[in-house]
Amino acid sequence: MRVAVAQAPIEGRRERKKRELRSRIYQTAQQLFLSQGFDATTVEQVAAAADVAPATFFNHFQSKNALLGEMTTEVFAHLQALIAQCLLRPGSAQERIISFAERAALDVYAARGVARDVVLELMRTRAHPGETLPYLERIFAPFTKTLREGQRKGEVRDDLEAAFLAEMVLGALNAAFIHWLNDPNYPLQQQIQQAAVFIGEAIRPTNPRPRRAPG
């Protein structure tokens, strides 16, 4: 008896061209946002750089803000990648958390022309009063897991719950990002590095376990 295997629908030439055109407009907008900022970029500039008419832009995107909304989705995907690269790799809890913080700050700095607008849009449209900011919610569980593993290994203080420590660690890092959102000239990389050192000291065991003598 043969089992029918469902096949993915074949993309037609028209659909492929439409998808490719939409991708070109989106990538062009990203480049302009990065180079000159979101506010300074107009739909007309995006359309001209993508070699399409403004009407074609609106066939694919309702507005310039709609582009920004799609970019917030990429933020979540990037966070997941950073979690895998930094928090789920071998190393001490301190090393992994510091690696995550420094990498996040570096990536934000590299995309500073649009990163602030993306994060602000994410906070405006996806966060509700009294709720945890969505980008913090995504990394709370991995941070808690990392700290709990560190407690089991004697790398992290165990007089406080791992979840509480994760909340404090994320609070310290988020404070730096909030300052940067309010002031574009805030030295984010430098402050994140200092926050990472502070965090490393704050989660260090209060009574380190004695090391066993070799043999």
Side-chain angles (χ1 to χ4, degrees):
M1 178 180 177
R2 292 185 178 180
V3 179
V5 178
Q7 294 183 346
I10 299 175
E11 185 180 39
R13 182 170 179 270
R14 182 177 179 181
E15 288 75 16
R16 185 179 70 253
K17 288 186 67 176
K18 184 177 180 181
R19 175 177 54 80
E20 291 173 348
L21 180 57
R22 189 180 194 280
S23 177
R24 188 170 87 223
I25 295 171
Y26 181 77
Q27 292 176 11
T28 300
Q30 277 187 315
Q31 292 169 1
L32 288 174
F33 293 165
L34 285 169
S35 63
Q36 61 189 39
F38 177 78
D39 289 335
T41 303
T42 65
V43 168
E44 289 73 21
Q45 288 175 328
V46 174
D51 195 23
V52 299
T56 303
F57 174 95
F58 289 110
N59 286 337
H60 294 272
F61 299 96
Q62 187 177 7
S63 64
K64 189 176 71 166
N65 276 31
L67 284 165
L68 203 59
E70 290 202 15
M71 290 178 190
T72 64
T73 301
E74 291 189 4
V75 170
F76 288 127
H78 190 65
L79 275 177
Q80 291 301 121
L82 283 185
I83 288 169
Q85 294 168 14
C86 301
L87 291 183
L88 303 183
R89 68 175 179 82
S92 70
Q94 285 91 340
E95 290 171 344
R96 287 185 279 168
I97 289 172
I98 290 172
S99 173
F100 178 91
E102 291 182 342
R103 175 67 185 278
L106 183 64
D107 289 351
V108 166
Y109 182 78
R112 60 192 179 279
V114 68
R116 291 181 72 255
D117 299 293
V118 169
V119 175
L120 286 170
E121 175 69 10
L122 188 153
M123 294 170 66
R124 183 182 69 82
T125 61
R126 304 200 182 189
H128 302 284
E131 293 184 358
T132 304
L133 292 173
Y135 59 88
L136 293 180
E137 188 175 9
R138 290 292 182 98
I139 57 179
F140 179 76
F143 264 67
T144 302
K145 180 181 178 182
T146 298
L147 289 161
R148 189 172 289 122
E149 290 174 352
Q151 288 177 329
R152 286 198 296 266
K153 296 177 182 178
E155 303 166 349
V156 174
R157 59 189 300 172
D158 58 6
D159 59 324
L160 297 169
E161 292 290 334
F164 175 79
L165 291 176
E167 186 178 341
M168 294 300 100
V169 168
L170 288 174
L173 295 176
N174 191 53
F177 280 100
I178 294 297
H179 277 297
W180 172 71
L181 289 174
N182 292 323
D183 178 9
N185 297 317
Y186 183 79
L188 179 62
Q189 282 182 291
Q190 177 184 340
Q191 295 301 98
I192 285 291
Q193 289 173 349
Q194 291 183 5
V197 173
F198 171 79
I199 288 167
E201 291 297 322
I203 65 175
R204 195 178 304 280
T206 51
N207 295 304
R209 297 176 187 173
R211 294 184 178 180
R212 293 183 179 180

